[in-house]
Amino acid sequence: MSREMARGAELGSYSISRTFQVNENIAVFKYMFSMVAPAAIVGLPAFICFGFKAYGPANWKLARHIAWACFDVFIALFGFAYLVSSIISNPRIFKEFCRIGLV
């Protein structure tokens, strides 16, 4: 009996568990896609600064040190932006954070 229940109700080729899984996969895909843009926006300047530090002109020491400091700042901002966008972009997670009073 439990094996049949775990399979989900089936009517012909329609399956409730399969339909739920498809809807859940679409929701997860939308959530992950909404995370890509903030990650790219905040991550790109960090790796530009890293590239300048690693491959910039050797005699531009001050500029390379400033680029390294900017890399550190952008990486710190990346973590914060990723955390905030992961909470805001998922309605279920955002609702729970609002419920416990953190947002």
Side-chain angles (χ1 to χ4, degrees):
M1 177 75 172
S2 64
R3 214 178 271 167
E4 291 174 11
M5 290 176 68
R7 225 180 15 178
E10 290 187 16
L11 299 169
S13 64
Y14 177 80
S15 168
I16 292 175
S17 63
R18 190 176 312 131
T19 302
F20 176 78
Q21 187 63 47
V22 168
N23 290 337
E24 191 68 21
N25 288 350
I26 291 171
V28 168
F29 178 73
K30 286 180 182 177
Y31 173 69
M32 296 304 285
F33 188 72
S34 69
M35 299 301 295
V36 170
I41 290 169
V42 179
L44 185 64
F47 289 104
I48 289 172
C49 292
F50 177 79
F52 185 78
K53 164 68 173 142
Y55 303 110
N59 57 349
W60 292 11
K61 292 183 191 270
L62 179 62
R64 291 177 71 194
H65 287 298
I66 291 172
W68 192 247
C70 289
F71 171 77
D72 288 339
V73 169
F74 281 123
I75 290 297
L77 289 175
F78 178 80
F80 180 72
Y82 198 77
L83 175 68
V84 169
S85 64
S86 68
I87 292 170
I88 291 173
S89 63
N90 189 330
R92 287 186 242 169
I93 294 174
F94 184 69
K95 181 179 169 185
E96 288 299 315
F97 270 85
C98 289
R99 187 182 64 78
I100 61 176
L102 291 177
V103 177

